[in-house]
Amino acid sequence: MKVQWFNSVDQIGEAKWQAAIGETRYPFAQFAFHQALEQSKSIGDGTGWYPEYLLVMDDDDSPLAIAPTYLKTHSQGEFVFDWSWADAYQRYGMRYFPKRIWAIPFSPVTGVRLFSHLDPKGDDVPFSHLYPALAELMTQANQERDFSSWHLLFTKPEHAALFASNKDLVQRISCQFHWFNRGYKDMEDYLSHFSSRKRKTARKEREKVAKEGITLTRTIGRDLTPADIDFFYLCYQSTYAKRGQQGYLTREFFAQLAETMGEQILLVQAYKNDEPIAASWCFFDDHSLYGRYWGCMEEVDCLHFEACYYQGIEFCLEKGLQHFDPGTQGEHKIARGFEPVFSHSIHYIAHEGFRDAIGNFCEEEAQAVREYHQDTQEMLPFKRES
């Protein structure tokens, strides 16, 4: 096995990248996705995100796999929060940044973090011996450059388990809420599995939106117009502006993806009096829908639930998708049938004292997360088994 670091997807080239990842349709593995991040200047100089892709090759230089890693000078856009760790380093006069993350930028989506044609579905655990091998390589690279840490974010649970015996690594869990297709025929069939009270509530939420004269459309990325993208981007930035921030991604990122990955993009738009007032941007593959970005120009009761959740569920049912990951956090997803799932991250902390302290913190946090996971199971809207 050989490995080589690259600072740009174009240094690897589309042909070699796609040869490495094979036929996978996972949106966040595609050359086009990472190229759009770079070319749109959503990552790179001045952003605090500096790509270092790790290409794995066999002894004949044939590409086997790619691990997306980034040097970070801050912790924004990661969604596994370590700001308190960075603050602790600073209080002791130590440097936490730069650090390395092994992740998908701005995407708290659980999935493979080693893209390979040898494992197109990301479920071949024997092949995944490469994960701990590459972890050792990243640890060595960090030591050579005196970095504080590296972090593998939102990895699959079976891959997180591969690191369990490595006492130099800290495991961390959090809780998200995902929807699963249990063989539902359509939306009515799905809601029929809710308890009577929860079903009425869900229907009333949808009716509230309709009574406001709001209509919704679902458009595949290839059919988006520049005006659609302009409006969506206005919504996207408005979400961050409400928190006094600016969105991480540029308009060019979305426009480029509509051209290069249009077959894997879904845009939900809400209209009132024929004027758009809200939008939700998703990716999808042959198995899953991934809700990523949302915003609105007018606040309407229950519109967020309709545009971000009910429309996505309907799309999954129409397309036969089995899973809907709507994004991180949000207990409000539970009442719409999104089930609690654990998300996993792995952390290498170079400083032994901080490693122990962070490890103890993550163990205590994990107990609270497990209790929370159990509690939220009881809040699901589905009928109880008799």
Side-chain angles (χ1 to χ4, degrees):
M1 182 182 78
K2 300 178 181 178
V3 296
Q4 187 174 355
W5 297 97
F6 293 90
N7 300 115
S8 168
V9 292
D10 290 329
Q11 291 177 358
I12 299 174
E14 183 172 9
K16 187 174 288 187
W17 183 291
Q18 293 301 132
I21 73 171
E23 299 299 319
T24 180
R25 292 255 297 161
Y26 185 54
F28 311 104
Q30 303 304 313
F31 178 86
F33 180 85
H34 295 273
Q35 186 182 54
L37 283 171
E38 289 187 27
Q39 292 187 347
S40 68
K41 301 188 185 308
S42 297
I43 61 174
D45 290 346
T47 68
W49 290 81
Y50 302 94
E52 287 196 352
Y53 308 107
L54 185 59
L55 176 65
V56 183
M57 299 165 286
D58 65 17
D59 292 337
D60 295 326
D61 291 333
S62 296
L64 296 180
I66 291 173
T69 84
Y70 301 83
L71 303 188
K72 291 294 303 297
T73 58
H74 54 66
S75 290
Q76 296 172 353
E78 297 173 17
F79 303 97
V80 176
F81 304 118
D82 64 351
W83 293 308
S84 62
W85 305 357
D87 289 343
Y89 265 70
Q90 185 175 16
R91 287 198 302 272
Y92 280 85
M94 299 175 63
R95 182 169 58 93
Y96 189 68
F97 302 107
K99 63 179 183 178
R100 184 186 305 279
I101 67 164
W102 182 358
I104 310 299
F106 318 113
S107 298
V109 53
T110 292
V112 294
R113 294 297 175 263
L114 186 59
F115 314 140
S116 176
H117 67 275
L118 299 177
D119 186 19
K121 295 183 179 179
D123 56 8
D124 184 353
V125 173
F127 164 73
S128 300
H129 70 278
L130 280 178
Y131 275 93
L134 295 187
E136 289 297 324
L137 189 150
M138 291 186 192
T139 297
Q140 179 182 346
N142 268 29
Q143 292 170 345
E144 291 172 353
R145 297 163 78 174
D146 196 26
F147 290 170
S148 70
S149 53
W150 62 257
H151 310 263
L152 171 58
L153 307 184
F154 296 100
T155 190
K156 298 180 73 172
E158 60 267 34
H159 296 157
L162 296 168
F163 299 94
S165 63
N166 190 331
K167 302 307 179 185
D168 290 334
L169 300 178
V170 174
Q171 300 228 6
R172 191 178 188 187
I173 61 172
S174 59
C175 190
Q176 294 184 325
F177 300 96
H178 293 194
W179 179 86
F180 299 93
N181 189 344
R182 310 294 187 190
Y184 309 117
K185 298 176 183 176
D186 51 31
M187 199 66 174
E188 280 302 304
D189 181 37
Y190 171 59
L191 292 177
S192 74
H193 289 75
F194 283 27
S195 68
S196 176
R197 183 172 63 87
K198 298 290 187 179
R199 182 167 60 251
K200 289 178 181 177
T201 299
R203 286 175 172 161
K204 284 182 179 178
E205 288 176 345
R206 306 199 77 186
E207 289 168 1
K208 279 184 181 179
V209 174
K211 285 179 179 178
E212 291 289 332
I214 294 171
T215 58
L216 291 103
T217 62
R218 297 196 291 266
T219 307
I220 301 302
R222 64 172 182 268
D223 298 323
L224 294 177
T225 66
D228 291 329
I229 295 172
D230 285 341
F231 176 72
F232 163 74
Y233 194 65
L234 186 64
C235 290
Y236 166 74
Q237 287 289 7
S238 75
T239 298
Y240 286 89
K242 291 171 185 175
R243 302 196 294 263
Q245 298 176 265
Q246 185 173 351
Y248 303 118
L249 299 163
T250 66
R251 183 198 179 280
E252 290 73 22
F253 170 74
F254 296 103
Q256 185 166 332
L257 286 186
E259 292 183 5
T260 59
M261 292 184 62
E263 297 293 332
Q264 292 190 261
I265 291 167
L266 170 69
L267 184 68
V268 176
Q269 293 187 87
Y271 292 84
K272 186 175 183 180
N273 300 323
D274 296 325
E275 291 294 326
I277 62 168
S280 175
W281 182 288
C282 306
F283 295 91
F284 64 95
D285 53 29
D286 297 329
H287 178 269
S288 298
L289 178 70
Y290 309 92
R292 293 273 61 88
Y293 316 108
W294 141 268
C296 65
M297 305 311 297
E298 179 180 336
E299 299 287 346
V300 177
D301 192 22
C302 297
L303 179 56
H304 177 248
F305 304 147
E306 180 64 36
C308 293
Y309 308 136
Y310 293 126
Q311 289 291 317
I313 291 171
E314 283 193 342
F315 182 79
C316 288
L317 294 173
E318 289 176 6
K319 299 296 184 182
L321 303 183
Q322 300 303 303
H323 168 240
F324 178 12
D325 172 356
T328 196
Q329 302 176 332
E331 285 186 10
H332 51 273
K333 300 181 178 82
I334 302 171
R336 285 90 212 168
F338 291 82
E339 304 174 28
V341 300
F342 292 114
S343 61
H344 299 260
S345 58
I346 307 295
H347 307 268
Y348 169 75
I349 310 297
H351 188 282
E352 186 174 349
F354 274 107
R355 185 192 314 154
D356 292 342
I358 289 170
N360 291 335
F361 165 81
C362 288
E363 286 182 10
E364 294 177 4
E365 181 186 53
Q367 181 59 37
V369 170
R370 292 187 186 99
E371 292 174 0
Y372 175 74
H373 181 277
Q374 182 62 41
D375 291 343
T376 54
Q377 289 275 7
E378 303 300 317
M379 299 164 60
L380 288 167
F382 303 110
K383 296 174 183 176
R384 301 289 181 180
E385 294 290 339
S386 57

